[in-house]
Amino acid sequence: MKLYNTLTKNIQEFVPNNKDEVTIYTCGPTVYSYAHIGNLRTYIFEDILEKTLNFIGYKVKRVMNITDVGHIVSDADDGMDKMTLASQKEGKKASEIAQFYTDAFFKDMNELNIKKPEIIAKATDHIKEYIKMIQVLLEKEIAYQSNGNVYFDVTKYPNYYELSGRSDENNLVGAREDVTLDKNKKNPADFALWMTNSKFQNQEQKWDSPFGIGYPGWHIECSCIAIKYLGEKLDIHCGGIDNIFPHHTNEIAQSESYLGHKWCNYFVHGEYLNDKSGKMSKSKGEFLTLDLLKKKGYNPLSYRLLCLQSHYRNKLLFSYEALDIAQNTYSKLKNKVDKLKENVDISQLPESNKEYINKFKNTLEDDLNTSNALTVLYELLKVENISSQEKISTIKEMDKVLSLSLLSDNANWLNKKEKEEVEKLIEKRTEAKQIKNFELADKIRQELEEKGIILIDTREGTRYEVKK
Ligand code: AMP
Ligand code: ZN
């Protein structure tokens, strides 16, 4: 299997530390609001990575953290504390906010057929581990205390710029703003490990520590959680490209300084989902969530297909026009498979077709080329000398990676025609309610419910959900 490694800037043969089990660490969400579909693109790519490794025969142990602690925007004590801000805005405790958005995140993951990583670790459950790592870094004089805070001294870690390919000089330019904001640092590029003295004096989440009552810096959670669950040598670390600097750069510096040896061999990063104005973000433009797409009548799996149609290392420009096309393609694909399935006994499938499985595998082993993998699927659907049974059996195998619910009858979606019919019935029901014909309104609701379509009346009108 070949993967692009951000560490070496090359496509490399993937060789795990232990051939029986591959370890993967993926940075999880910051749970102060919903994930946007850009975030979800990254999780889809990571899901494909894990499932491809399974497909080619590896066992995978994967860990994801949940950032549920005050998460300042940068290493300097500037920006906003996202968790505190959200809890003030919503009038809830930080832990309640975190739980709510964690649940919402896993609901999105589930609807996109993304496998939940084997181990999910909350940042707030690992304070003990951060303290230990910081103590070791202080003992080694790689970290220092200044005005109540603990910082990592980047000059003590010689390969600091290896991952990002930045130079010391351009980092200084990037960090210039920080110099004016955080005078406690020795070097502008140093980053916080523990904060007791920050401008967020009313920070809700604080813990006692040998360095004073405070809270951890932005990066320490991932190093400590990865080492705790996956050991001192990690195979693959992934995330979106915005994680390369400073987050993953700082993770490497901390982890390797703490361990005293190389930590992770492969860093694999997914490109952005952009909107017309550039990188999609939580604070800019229309906030595109999976729920919003669903409300607009899109099937989550159409979005998954849209992501799989492009390579994870290419930028993907989101537009509703592109999603319409993907939805249409998905619908046609499902119809083709449905037709094929008509005369096939799913419980008695023959072996899958070796030639097509190999072709499919080769595309994925080529740095996860999912669009070519889809082409192989289309070729298989078209080819004439393979029986329907064998095709279905092969599609079933392929769908272990693609996860487009190709064989399920009751996927969480409606095609365009069905959608129009449902909308017409909803309109009819609204009219019936207006003239107080509740009998008809109830009849329509029941009729739809029998088809797995649940109506939800809101102040803005009636929307629907399709039961899986
Ligand atoms: P966050 O919740 O902000 O920590 O981000 C979660 C994940 O989404 C990280 O791996 C980010 O790198 C990734 N991410 C953030 N914005 C985008 C985007 N526009 N497109 C793709 N991935 C993104
Ligand atoms: Zn991380």
Side-chain angles (χ1 to χ4, degrees):
M1 159 122 158
K2 290 194 164 57
L3 276 178
Y4 181 86
N5 187 354
T6 312
L7 267 176
T8 58
K9 320 280 178 287
N10 269 317
I11 294 186
Q12 271 178 268
E13 190 61 40
F14 172 66
V15 186
N17 287 306
N18 167 357
K19 64 176 176 26
D20 296 325
E21 188 175 67
V22 175
T23 54
I24 305 183
Y25 184 84
T26 47
C27 294
T30 313
V31 282
Y32 65 93
S33 77
Y34 292 106
H36 60 61
I37 56 170
N39 304 128
L40 296 171
R41 181 190 185 198
T42 295
Y43 298 113
I44 290 172
F45 127 69
E46 293 164 348
D47 184 55
I48 291 285
L49 172 62
E50 174 172 0
K51 288 174 178 164
T52 297
L53 287 162
N54 287 149
F55 199 74
I56 62 181
Y58 288 114
K59 226 177 130 229
V60 174
K61 187 169 180 188
R62 180 168 164 211
V63 176
M64 180 190 272
N65 66 308
I66 300 287
T67 301
D68 60 345
V69 54
H71 183 100
I72 48 182
V73 174
S74 88
D75 292 306
D77 193 13
D78 67 346
M80 293 175 297
D81 179 300
K82 296 173 182 172
M83 288 301 298
T84 305
L85 207 73
S87 70
Q88 280 165 1
K89 204 165 107 192
E90 298 191 27
K92 289 182 192 147
K93 283 202 288 192
S95 57
E96 287 168 346
I97 300 272
Q99 193 55 53
F100 178 84
Y101 290 112
T102 304
D103 293 345
F105 173 71
F106 284 114
K107 185 167 170 273
D108 286 350
M109 296 266 282
N110 186 40
E111 284 172 346
L112 287 165
N113 283 347
I114 299 173
K115 182 175 173 249
K116 197 171 179 179
E118 191 182 327
I119 297 167
I120 304 291
K122 289 203 286 190
T124 49
D125 285 342
H126 298 81
I127 304 294
K128 199 169 85 241
E129 284 80 1
Y130 314 149
I131 292 172
K132 184 179 159 215
M133 183 176 279
I134 296 168
Q135 275 176 321
V136 171
L137 293 173
L138 281 169
E139 276 159 28
K140 291 188 175 183
E141 295 183 357
I142 293 167
Y144 60 92
Q145 282 177 287
S146 171
N147 197 20
N149 298 334
V150 187
Y151 295 94
F152 186 97
D153 182 345
V154 298
T155 63
K156 302 277 173 69
Y157 181 75
N159 296 330
Y160 186 68
Y161 297 103
E162 188 189 359
L163 183 76
S164 66
R166 288 175 175 232
S167 70
D168 201 14
E169 201 179 310
N170 71 25
N171 187 49
L172 284 183
V173 174
R176 190 162 292 153
E177 210 186 332
D178 298 1
V179 189
T180 54
L181 286 160
D182 191 347
K183 296 199 169 59
N184 303 322
K185 293 180 182 181
K186 281 192 203 162
N187 318 291
D190 292 351
F191 57 92
L193 298 170
W194 190 267
M195 293 267 201
T196 72
N197 183 13
S198 94
K199 75 173 186 187
F200 306 115
Q201 291 307 335
N202 54 359
Q203 173 86 9
E204 185 190 316
Q205 295 170 291
K206 283 186 183 176
W207 294 266
D208 201 4
S209 85
F211 336 108
I213 295 173
Y215 58 95
W218 178 20
H219 317 285
I220 193 101
E221 65 184 89
C222 288
S223 291
C224 293
I225 291 171
I227 292 170
K228 174 169 179 182
Y229 296 101
L230 300 172
E232 295 194 353
K233 287 194 171 161
L234 177 63
D235 289 315
I236 305 175
H237 193 316
C238 35
I241 49 158
D242 56 337
N243 285 157
I244 296 174
F245 188 88
H247 185 50
H248 290 171
T249 296
N250 292 350
E251 277 187 44
I252 298 172
Q254 292 162 166
S255 302
E256 298 198 350
S257 303
Y258 168 79
L259 295 167
H261 60 72
K262 189 168 171 73
W263 174 47
C264 175
N265 289 335
Y266 300 86
F267 272 83
V268 185
H269 293 103
E271 250 291 357
Y272 287 144
L273 178 77
N274 285 341
D275 53 26
K276 285 182 197 94
S277 62
K279 184 199 167 211
M280 191 167 288
S281 77
K282 288 185 183 172
S283 51
K284 193 183 79 181
E286 185 183 26
F287 187 50
L288 287 165
T289 60
L290 196 65
D291 257 351
L292 180 70
L293 298 190
K294 275 176 16 197
K295 275 183 203 146
K296 288 183 189 265
Y298 293 103
N299 174 6
L301 296 181
S302 302
Y303 178 63
R304 183 172 173 110
L305 178 64
L306 179 72
C307 292
L308 300 191
Q309 284 169 331
S310 73
H311 192 254
Y312 78 94
R313 281 196 293 117
N314 288 339
K315 287 190 177 63
L316 176 60
L317 181 67
F318 177 81
S319 68
Y320 284 110
E321 293 76 38
L323 190 58
D324 280 334
I325 296 170
Q327 175 116 318
N328 207 5
T329 309
Y330 183 63
S331 169
K332 282 190 191 150
L333 181 59
K334 280 284 292 184
N335 288 342
K336 274 191 188 136
V337 179
D338 278 353
K339 233 191 194 151
L340 205 59
K341 240 172 55 183
E342 269 166 17
N343 304 315
V344 172
D345 179 358
I346 301 274
S347 63
Q348 303 225 332
L349 288 175
E351 276 208 12
S352 52
N353 183 281
K354 286 218 170 55
E355 184 195 339
Y356 276 87
I357 288 293
N358 275 338
K359 276 194 194 177
F360 180 76
K361 205 160 90 179
N362 289 343
T363 60
L364 292 168
E365 282 179 331
D366 177 19
D367 195 24
L368 308 178
N369 197 329
T370 46
S371 67
N372 283 353
L374 288 167
T375 307
V376 176
L377 168 66
Y378 277 108
E379 269 175 30
L380 172 74
L381 283 166
K382 248 194 244 156
V383 76
E384 280 174 4
N385 61 347
I386 298 178
S387 70
S388 298
Q389 280 93 328
E390 200 175 335
K391 281 189 184 179
I392 289 291
S393 164
T394 313
I395 292 168
K396 193 176 171 194
E397 280 302 294
M398 291 175 172
D399 208 37
K400 285 184 180 162
V401 181
L402 300 174
S403 301
L404 290 168
S405 297
L406 292 174
L407 293 187
S408 81
D409 290 327
N410 205 9
N412 184 14
W413 73 296
L414 296 179
N415 64 30
K416 206 164 173 220
K417 200 166 142 248
E418 289 166 330
K419 200 174 140 247
E420 279 165 9
E421 275 165 18
V422 170
E423 277 163 7
K424 233 186 251 160
L425 281 171
I426 290 180
E427 218 176 279
K428 204 166 143 195
R429 180 172 167 265
T430 310
E431 281 165 13
K433 281 206 305 191
Q434 274 161 359
I435 56 163
K436 303 212 175 337
N437 185 350
F438 297 113
E439 204 180 321
L440 178 61
D442 282 348
K443 200 172 147 241
I444 294 173
R445 172 192 282 279
Q446 219 168 349
E447 202 179 293
L448 286 169
E449 219 166 86
E450 275 157 23
K451 292 183 184 157
I453 294 149
I454 309 298
L455 298 187
I456 300 150
D457 291 319
T458 70
R459 244 185 287 165
E460 289 80 36
T462 304
R463 59 182 183 83
Y464 63 90
E465 276 181 11
V466 188
K467 266 201 296 188
K468 253 203 167 168

